Protein backbone atom coordinates (compact mmCIF):
# COMPACT_ATOMS: atom_id res chain seq x y z
CA UNK A 1 0.00 0.00 0.00
CA UNK A 2 1.24 3.48 -0.84
CA UNK A 3 2.61 5.40 2.12
CA UNK A 4 0.04 7.71 3.62
CA UNK A 5 1.55 10.93 4.88
CA UNK A 6 -0.62 13.53 6.60
CA UNK A 7 0.26 17.15 7.31
CA UNK A 8 -1.93 18.85 9.92
CA UNK A 9 -2.01 22.56 10.67
CA UNK A 10 -3.44 23.33 14.09
CA UNK A 11 -2.22 19.95 15.34
CA UNK A 12 -1.88 21.22 18.92
CA UNK A 13 -5.56 22.17 19.06
CA UNK A 14 -8.60 20.13 20.00
CA UNK A 15 -9.39 18.81 16.51
CA UNK A 16 -5.74 18.43 15.57
CA UNK A 17 -5.02 16.16 18.52
CA UNK A 18 -8.05 13.92 17.86
CA UNK A 19 -7.23 13.76 14.15
CA UNK A 20 -3.58 12.88 14.84
CA UNK A 21 -4.73 10.02 17.07
CA UNK A 22 -7.11 8.74 14.41
CA UNK A 23 -4.54 8.88 11.60
CA UNK A 24 -1.87 7.13 13.67
CA UNK A 25 -4.33 4.29 14.29
CA UNK A 26 -4.76 4.09 10.51
CA UNK A 27 -0.97 3.78 10.02
CA UNK A 28 -0.32 7.26 8.66
CA UNK A 29 2.92 9.12 9.06
CA UNK A 30 1.77 12.26 10.86
CA UNK A 31 3.42 15.67 10.53
CA UNK A 32 2.20 18.84 12.16
CA UNK A 33 2.82 22.58 11.89
CA UNK A 34 3.12 24.55 15.14
CA UNK A 35 3.55 28.27 15.73
CA UNK A 36 6.53 29.36 17.79
CA UNK A 37 5.61 31.31 20.92
CA UNK A 38 6.94 31.83 24.43
CA UNK A 39 4.48 29.42 26.03
CA UNK A 40 4.53 25.66 25.62
CA UNK A 41 1.20 24.75 24.03
CA UNK A 42 1.59 21.04 23.19
CA UNK A 43 -0.19 19.51 26.17
CA UNK A 44 -2.91 17.93 23.99
CA UNK A 45 -0.45 16.02 21.81
CA UNK A 46 2.48 15.17 24.10
CA UNK A 47 1.11 11.81 25.21
CA UNK A 48 -0.06 10.98 21.67
CA UNK A 49 3.39 11.76 20.29
CA UNK A 50 5.11 9.66 22.97
CA UNK A 51 2.88 6.66 22.24
CA UNK A 52 3.51 7.01 18.51
CA UNK A 53 7.26 7.04 18.95
CA UNK A 54 7.15 4.04 21.29
CA UNK A 55 5.41 2.11 18.52
CA UNK A 56 7.90 3.31 15.92
CA UNK A 57 5.39 5.55 14.17
CA UNK A 58 6.33 8.84 12.49
CA UNK A 59 5.04 11.91 14.36
CA UNK A 60 7.04 15.03 13.54
CA UNK A 61 6.44 18.72 14.26
CA UNK A 62 7.70 21.76 12.34
CA UNK A 63 7.66 25.45 13.12
CA UNK A 64 5.55 27.38 10.64
CA UNK A 65 2.75 29.91 10.37
CA UNK A 66 -0.23 30.42 8.08
CA UNK A 67 0.88 34.06 7.77
CA UNK A 68 4.28 32.97 6.39
CA UNK A 69 4.13 31.43 2.91
CA UNK A 70 7.88 30.73 2.98
CA UNK A 71 7.56 28.39 5.96
CA UNK A 72 4.56 26.63 4.40
CA UNK A 73 6.40 26.06 1.12
CA UNK A 74 9.44 24.75 2.97
CA UNK A 75 7.46 22.29 5.08
CA UNK A 76 5.29 21.02 2.24
CA UNK A 77 8.29 20.48 -0.05
CA UNK A 78 10.07 18.60 2.77
CA UNK A 79 7.18 16.43 3.98
CA UNK A 80 5.52 15.79 0.58
CA UNK A 81 2.19 14.92 2.21
CA UNK A 82 -0.48 12.84 0.52
CA UNK A 83 -3.15 14.57 2.63
CA UNK A 84 -3.18 18.09 4.09
CA UNK A 85 -5.64 19.01 6.85
CA UNK A 86 -5.95 22.73 7.54
CA UNK A 87 -7.35 23.05 11.05
CA UNK A 88 -5.42 26.17 12.08
CA UNK A 89 -7.17 29.50 12.56
CA UNK A 90 -7.81 32.35 14.92
CA UNK A 91 -10.96 30.51 15.88
CA UNK A 92 -12.52 32.52 18.69
CA UNK A 93 -15.53 34.36 17.32
CA UNK A 94 -15.72 37.06 20.01
CA UNK A 95 -11.97 37.79 19.78
CA UNK A 96 -12.28 38.19 16.00
CA UNK A 97 -14.15 41.44 16.62
CA UNK A 98 -11.14 42.70 18.59
CA UNK A 99 -8.57 41.40 16.07
CA UNK A 100 -10.34 41.45 12.69
CA UNK A 101 -7.22 42.03 10.56
CA UNK A 102 -5.21 39.27 12.23
CA UNK A 103 -8.19 36.91 12.04
CA UNK A 104 -8.56 37.61 8.31
CA UNK A 105 -4.87 37.04 7.60
CA UNK A 106 -4.68 33.71 9.44
CA UNK A 107 -8.15 32.27 8.98
CA UNK A 108 -8.78 33.53 5.44
CA UNK A 109 -5.58 34.27 3.55
CA UNK A 110 -3.80 31.41 5.32
CA UNK A 111 -5.93 28.96 3.33
CA UNK A 112 -4.76 30.55 0.08
CA UNK A 113 -1.11 30.27 1.14
CA UNK A 114 -1.50 26.54 1.80
CA UNK A 115 -3.25 25.89 -1.50
CA UNK A 116 -0.58 27.87 -3.35
CA UNK A 117 2.14 25.80 -1.66
CA UNK A 118 0.44 22.62 -2.88
CA UNK A 119 0.06 24.03 -6.39
CA UNK A 120 3.58 25.42 -6.67
CA UNK A 121 5.13 22.19 -5.42
CA UNK A 122 2.99 20.22 -7.90
CA UNK A 123 1.79 17.85 -5.19
CA UNK A 124 -1.10 15.48 -5.75
CA UNK A 125 -2.07 15.91 -2.11
CA UNK A 126 -5.69 15.90 -1.05
CA UNK A 127 -6.70 18.98 0.94
CA UNK A 128 -9.21 19.49 3.74
CA UNK A 129 -10.37 22.91 4.87
CA UNK A 130 -12.04 23.33 8.26
CA UNK A 131 -15.09 25.45 7.51
CA UNK A 132 -17.65 26.36 10.14
CA UNK A 133 -21.33 26.77 10.88
CA UNK A 134 -20.53 30.45 11.50
CA UNK A 135 -20.73 30.79 7.70
CA UNK A 136 -24.52 30.71 8.10
CA UNK A 137 -24.63 33.37 10.84
CA UNK A 138 -28.03 34.98 10.43
CA UNK A 139 -29.41 31.72 9.13
CA UNK A 140 -31.57 32.02 6.01
CA UNK A 141 -33.24 28.65 6.58
CA UNK A 142 -33.47 26.03 9.31
CA UNK A 143 -31.84 23.59 9.49
CA UNK A 144 -28.80 24.53 7.43
CA UNK A 145 -27.59 22.33 4.57
CA UNK A 146 -24.82 22.59 1.97
CA UNK A 147 -27.21 24.65 -0.16
CA UNK A 148 -28.23 27.18 2.50
CA UNK A 149 -27.09 30.74 1.62
CA UNK A 150 -24.28 32.06 3.80
CA UNK A 151 -24.70 35.14 6.01
CA UNK A 152 -21.67 35.37 8.37
CA UNK A 153 -21.97 37.75 11.32
CA UNK A 154 -18.38 38.12 12.54
CA UNK A 155 -14.89 38.78 11.15
CA UNK A 156 -14.18 35.11 11.91
CA UNK A 157 -17.16 33.92 9.88
CA UNK A 158 -16.27 36.24 6.98
CA UNK A 159 -12.65 35.04 6.97
CA UNK A 160 -13.89 31.45 6.92
CA UNK A 161 -16.16 32.33 4.01
CA UNK A 162 -13.13 33.43 1.99
CA UNK A 163 -11.43 30.16 2.89
CA UNK A 164 -14.47 28.18 1.75
CA UNK A 165 -14.66 29.87 -1.65
CA UNK A 166 -10.91 29.84 -2.36
CA UNK A 167 -10.98 26.06 -1.80
CA UNK A 168 -13.78 25.70 -4.35
CA UNK A 169 -11.89 27.99 -6.74
CA UNK A 170 -8.66 25.98 -6.55
CA UNK A 171 -10.63 22.75 -6.86
CA UNK A 172 -12.22 23.94 -10.09
CA UNK A 173 -9.26 25.92 -11.46
CA UNK A 174 -6.35 23.56 -10.73
CA UNK A 175 -8.08 20.19 -10.27
CA UNK A 176 -6.92 19.93 -6.66
CA UNK A 177 -8.75 17.35 -4.53
CA UNK A 178 -9.92 19.95 -2.00
CA UNK A 179 -12.94 19.63 0.30
CA UNK A 180 -14.67 21.85 2.82
CA UNK A 181 -16.09 20.45 6.04
CA UNK A 182 -18.79 22.78 7.39
CA UNK A 183 -18.51 21.62 10.97
CA UNK A 184 -21.06 22.74 13.51
CA UNK A 185 -19.96 23.26 17.11
CA UNK A 186 -17.98 20.31 18.40
CA UNK A 187 -16.57 20.07 21.89
CA UNK A 188 -14.53 17.80 24.16
CA UNK A 189 -12.43 17.80 27.33
CA UNK A 190 -9.63 19.13 25.09
CA UNK A 191 -11.54 22.28 24.21
CA UNK A 192 -9.81 25.54 25.14
CA UNK A 193 -11.00 27.08 28.41
CA UNK A 194 -11.96 30.35 26.67
CA UNK A 195 -14.70 28.61 24.63
CA UNK A 196 -18.10 28.70 26.28
CA UNK A 197 -18.67 24.96 26.82
CA UNK A 198 -15.27 24.32 28.39
CA UNK A 199 -15.50 27.59 30.30
CA UNK A 200 -18.71 26.27 31.85
CA UNK A 201 -17.37 22.86 32.88
CA UNK A 202 -14.00 24.11 34.10
CA UNK A 203 -15.48 27.05 36.04
CA UNK A 204 -18.13 24.88 37.70
CA UNK A 205 -15.44 22.38 38.68
CA UNK A 206 -13.43 25.24 40.21
CA UNK A 207 -16.51 26.49 42.09
CA UNK A 208 -17.18 22.96 43.33
CA UNK A 209 -13.66 22.80 44.77
CA UNK A 210 -13.79 26.36 46.18
CA UNK A 211 -11.18 27.65 43.72
CA UNK A 212 -13.52 30.14 42.01
CA UNK A 213 -16.52 32.16 43.14
CA UNK A 214 -18.70 32.69 40.07
CA UNK A 215 -19.13 31.71 36.42
CA UNK A 216 -19.64 34.74 34.15
CA UNK A 217 -21.43 34.21 30.82
CA UNK A 218 -23.03 36.17 27.99
CA UNK A 219 -26.25 35.22 26.19
CA UNK A 220 -27.72 32.17 27.93
CA UNK A 221 -30.40 31.67 25.27
CA UNK A 222 -28.06 31.24 22.32
CA UNK A 223 -28.71 27.85 20.70
CA UNK A 224 -26.10 25.65 19.09
CA UNK A 225 -25.78 22.23 17.48
CA UNK A 226 -23.14 20.63 19.72
CA UNK A 227 -21.33 17.37 18.93
CA UNK A 228 -18.20 15.52 20.06
CA UNK A 229 -14.92 16.47 18.37
CA UNK A 230 -13.75 12.85 18.37
CA UNK A 231 -16.74 11.91 16.19
CA UNK A 232 -16.21 14.84 13.83
CA UNK A 233 -12.60 14.07 12.91
CA UNK A 234 -13.78 10.72 11.59
CA UNK A 235 -15.97 12.63 9.11
CA UNK A 236 -13.00 14.85 8.22
CA UNK A 237 -10.88 11.83 7.33
CA UNK A 238 -13.68 10.19 5.33
CA UNK A 239 -14.00 13.29 3.13
CA UNK A 240 -10.48 12.86 1.81
CA UNK A 241 -11.05 9.18 1.05
CA UNK A 242 -13.72 9.99 -1.54
CA UNK A 243 -12.81 9.66 -5.21
CA UNK A 244 -14.11 13.17 -5.89
CA UNK A 245 -13.81 16.19 -3.55
CA UNK A 246 -16.95 17.71 -2.13
CA UNK A 247 -18.31 19.91 0.67
CA UNK A 248 -20.21 18.54 3.67
CA UNK A 249 -22.19 19.75 6.65
CA UNK A 250 -21.16 17.83 9.77
CA UNK A 251 -23.67 18.19 12.62
CA UNK A 252 -25.93 16.34 15.05
CA UNK A 253 -29.14 18.03 13.89
CA UNK A 254 -30.10 18.91 17.48
CA UNK A 255 -29.98 22.32 19.16
CA UNK A 256 -29.42 23.13 22.82
CA UNK A 257 -29.11 26.45 24.63
CA UNK A 258 -26.12 27.63 26.63
CA UNK A 259 -28.55 27.66 29.56
CA UNK A 260 -29.27 23.95 29.07
CA UNK A 261 -25.55 23.17 28.95
CA UNK A 262 -25.03 25.03 32.25
CA UNK A 263 -27.97 23.26 33.89
CA UNK A 264 -26.79 19.77 32.95
CA UNK A 265 -23.20 20.50 33.95
CA UNK A 266 -24.28 22.02 37.29
CA UNK A 267 -26.41 18.97 38.11
CA UNK A 268 -23.35 16.75 37.60
CA UNK A 269 -21.59 18.86 40.25
CA UNK A 270 -24.51 18.23 42.63
CA UNK A 271 -25.64 21.86 42.41
CA UNK A 272 -29.38 22.59 42.42
CA UNK A 273 -29.38 25.50 39.98
CA UNK A 274 -32.32 27.92 39.85
CA UNK A 275 -32.57 31.09 37.77
CA UNK A 276 -33.61 34.49 39.12
CA UNK A 277 -34.05 37.87 37.41
CA UNK A 278 -33.99 38.55 33.70
CA UNK A 279 -31.69 39.58 30.86
CA UNK A 280 -28.41 41.09 32.08
CA UNK A 281 -29.58 40.95 35.70
CA UNK A 282 -30.27 37.23 35.61
CA UNK A 283 -28.36 35.00 38.02
CA UNK A 284 -28.11 31.28 38.64
CA UNK A 285 -28.28 30.30 42.30
CA UNK A 286 -27.62 27.00 44.07
CA UNK A 287 -30.79 26.51 46.12
CA UNK A 288 -29.00 24.17 48.52
CA UNK A 289 -26.54 26.81 49.72
CA UNK A 290 -27.95 30.10 48.40
CA UNK A 291 -24.67 30.67 46.60
CA UNK A 292 -24.73 32.59 43.30
CA UNK A 293 -23.06 30.34 40.74
CA UNK A 294 -23.75 32.20 37.48
CA UNK A 295 -23.86 35.89 36.57
CA UNK A 296 -24.29 37.68 33.24
CA UNK A 297 -21.47 39.89 31.97
CA UNK A 298 -22.33 42.10 28.95
CA UNK A 299 -18.70 41.94 27.82
CA UNK A 300 -19.36 38.43 26.55
CA UNK A 301 -22.15 39.48 24.20
CA UNK A 302 -21.17 39.68 20.54
CA UNK A 303 -21.68 42.94 18.58
CA UNK A 304 -23.70 40.91 16.07
CA UNK A 305 -25.25 37.87 17.70
CA UNK A 306 -25.88 34.48 16.07
CA UNK A 307 -28.87 33.01 17.90
CA UNK A 308 -29.65 29.66 16.30
CA UNK A 309 -27.56 27.19 14.30
CA UNK A 310 -28.63 23.62 13.51
CA UNK A 311 -27.12 21.50 10.77
CA UNK A 312 -28.61 18.87 8.47
CA UNK A 313 -25.94 16.20 7.89
CA UNK A 314 -28.03 14.06 5.53
CA UNK A 315 -25.43 14.32 2.76
CA UNK A 316 -22.66 13.17 5.11
CA UNK A 317 -24.73 10.19 6.22
CA UNK A 318 -25.46 9.19 2.65
CA UNK A 319 -22.07 9.82 0.98
CA UNK A 320 -19.64 9.35 3.87
CA UNK A 321 -21.56 6.77 5.90
CA UNK A 322 -21.02 9.02 8.92
CA UNK A 323 -23.20 9.86 11.87
CA UNK A 324 -22.43 11.14 15.38
CA UNK A 325 -22.11 8.59 18.19
CA UNK A 326 -21.88 10.76 21.33
CA UNK A 327 -25.11 12.41 22.51
CA UNK A 328 -25.37 15.92 23.97
CA UNK A 329 -25.90 14.51 27.46
CA UNK A 330 -22.89 12.20 27.11
CA UNK A 331 -20.77 15.10 25.87
CA UNK A 332 -21.62 17.32 28.85
CA UNK A 333 -20.97 14.43 31.23
CA UNK A 334 -17.63 13.63 29.58
CA UNK A 335 -16.44 17.23 29.84
CA UNK A 336 -17.72 17.80 33.36
CA UNK A 337 -16.19 14.61 34.75
CA UNK A 338 -12.86 15.40 33.09
CA UNK A 339 -12.71 18.91 34.57
CA UNK A 340 -13.74 17.74 38.04
CA UNK A 341 -10.79 15.36 38.01
CA UNK A 342 -8.46 18.01 36.56
CA UNK A 343 -9.36 20.65 39.14
CA UNK A 344 -9.09 18.15 41.98
CA UNK A 345 -5.53 17.37 40.89
CA UNK A 346 -4.73 21.06 40.59
CA UNK A 347 -6.05 21.69 44.09
CA UNK A 348 -3.87 18.93 45.51
CA UNK A 349 -0.80 20.66 44.10
CA UNK A 350 -1.54 23.95 45.85
Amino acid sequence: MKDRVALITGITGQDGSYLAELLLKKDYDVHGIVRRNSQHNRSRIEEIRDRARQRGRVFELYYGDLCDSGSLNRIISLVKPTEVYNLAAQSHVRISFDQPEFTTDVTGTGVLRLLEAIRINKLEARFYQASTSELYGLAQEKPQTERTPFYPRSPYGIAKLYGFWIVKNYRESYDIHASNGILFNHESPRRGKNFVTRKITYSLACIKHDMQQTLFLGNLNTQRDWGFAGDYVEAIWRMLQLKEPDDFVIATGQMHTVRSFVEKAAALCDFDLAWEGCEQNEIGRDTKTGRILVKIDPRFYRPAEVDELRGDATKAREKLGWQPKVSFEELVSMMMESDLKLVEKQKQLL
Side-chain angles (χ1 to χ4, degrees):
M1 181 170 55
K2 183 180 178 182
D3 288 342
R4 297 194 287 184
V5 181
L7 177 64
I8 305 172
T9 72
I11 196 169
T12 59
Q14 170 189 255
D15 293 5
S17 65
Y18 280 112
L19 180 61
E21 272 187 311
L22 176 69
L23 296 178
L24 286 165
K25 289 176 182 176
K26 296 182 180 295
D27 294 327
Y28 278 71
D29 291 345
V30 175
H31 301 260
I33 298 178
V34 297
R35 282 194 306 126
R36 175 71 179 92
N37 59 46
S38 59
Q39 294 183 337
H40 189 75
N41 64 344
R42 302 182 188 181
S43 59
R44 294 184 183 94
I45 61 169
E46 283 178 335
E47 186 178 341
I48 301 168
R49 192 183 187 192
D50 289 343
R51 290 200 308 265
R53 287 180 167 177
Q54 288 170 6
R55 296 198 300 265
R57 301 300 308 165
V58 173
F59 192 138
E60 298 293 340
L61 301 177
Y62 308 85
Y63 286 119
D65 197 305
L66 289 185
C67 296
D68 177 14
S69 57
S71 68
L72 300 179
N73 273 289
R74 173 180 57 81
I75 294 167
I76 281 181
S77 64
L78 176 66
V79 174
K80 294 181 173 57
T82 57
E83 296 175 9
V84 177
Y85 296 87
N86 182 35
L87 310 182
Q90 189 303 97
S91 57
H92 197 286
V93 176
R94 179 62 188 85
I95 291 174
S96 77
F97 285 97
D98 300 324
Q99 294 186 294
E101 185 177 342
F102 173 71
T103 300
T104 300
D105 197 22
V106 176
T107 307
T109 314
V111 185
L112 171 64
R113 295 186 183 105
L114 271 173
L115 289 167
E116 272 291 273
I118 291 172
R119 185 183 70 83
I120 290 169
N121 283 279
K122 295 184 170 65
L123 287 183
E124 294 185 2
R126 297 186 173 196
F127 181 83
Y128 169 81
Q129 166 61 14
S131 280
T132 171
S133 58
E134 291 289 332
L135 294 179
Y136 298 115
L138 190 62
Q140 303 300 289
E141 63 181 21
K142 302 172 186 176
Q144 294 87 53
T145 72
E146 292 81 3
R147 294 184 178 276
T148 301
F150 297 135
Y151 196 140
R153 297 263 283 172
S154 66
Y156 168 74
I158 294 165
K160 280 290 189 180
L161 182 60
Y162 174 84
F164 178 91
W165 282 108
I166 201 66
V167 165
K168 289 178 74 75
N169 182 261
Y170 270 61
R171 182 165 76 204
E172 296 169 0
S173 299
Y174 302 112
D175 198 28
I176 294 176
H177 192 295
S179 297
N180 287 293
I182 308 173
L183 272 57
F184 281 63
N185 293 66
H186 47 289
E187 319 297 319
S188 78
R190 299 180 192 175
R191 191 59 141 154
K193 296 187 186 76
N194 60 339
F195 289 86
V196 67
T197 52
R198 182 74 194 290
K199 178 181 179 180
I200 291 167
T201 57
Y202 184 74
S203 294
L204 287 176
C206 288
I207 294 171
K208 177 74 174 178
H209 288 284
D210 296 317
M211 294 177 66
Q212 182 174 324
Q213 291 298 313
T214 310
L215 164 62
F216 291 93
L217 293 170
N219 187 353
L220 293 171
N221 298 317
T222 294
Q223 299 185 80
R224 290 291 183 271
D225 183 332
W226 277 306
F228 173 50
D231 288 344
Y232 284 36
V233 297
E234 174 73 27
I236 288 171
W237 174 75
R238 291 190 184 198
M239 287 181 211
L240 296 201
Q241 311 317 304
L242 293 176
K243 183 177 180 181
E244 299 295 333
D246 207 342
D247 307 319
F248 293 90
V249 164
I250 305 299
T252 69
Q254 299 179 1
M255 274 196 311
H256 301 273
T257 63
V258 172
R259 185 187 303 274
S260 175
F261 198 106
V262 175
E263 290 170 347
K264 292 184 182 301
L268 292 167
C269 294
D270 199 31
F271 294 130
D272 185 16
L273 185 65
W275 302 103
E276 303 173 9
C278 61
E279 297 181 350
Q280 295 183 12
N281 295 316
E282 188 171 14
I283 61 170
R285 190 188 300 275
D286 179 17
T287 62
K288 294 180 181 179
T289 63
R291 183 178 185 180
I292 296 176
L293 303 178
V294 184
K295 289 184 177 180
I296 304 302
D297 189 332
R299 291 179 302 169
F300 299 125
Y301 281 81
R302 299 180 186 180
E305 190 59 73
V306 174
D307 295 318
E308 296 182 17
L309 292 175
R310 178 166 65 94
D312 180 349
T314 299
K315 182 178 175 181
R317 288 197 301 271
E318 294 176 351
K319 293 192 68 174
L320 300 177
W322 176 87
Q323 59 183 3
K325 299 175 182 176
V326 176
S327 70
F328 175 71
E329 290 74 16
E330 290 169 332
L331 175 63
V332 178
S333 178
M334 178 195 307
M335 294 178 67
M336 194 67 256
E337 289 176 12
S338 175
D339 275 330
L340 284 169
K341 291 177 182 177
L342 174 63
V343 172
E344 184 177 10
K345 288 181 181 178
Q346 292 174 342
K347 187 174 181 179
Q348 291 171 354
L349 296 173
L350 295 177

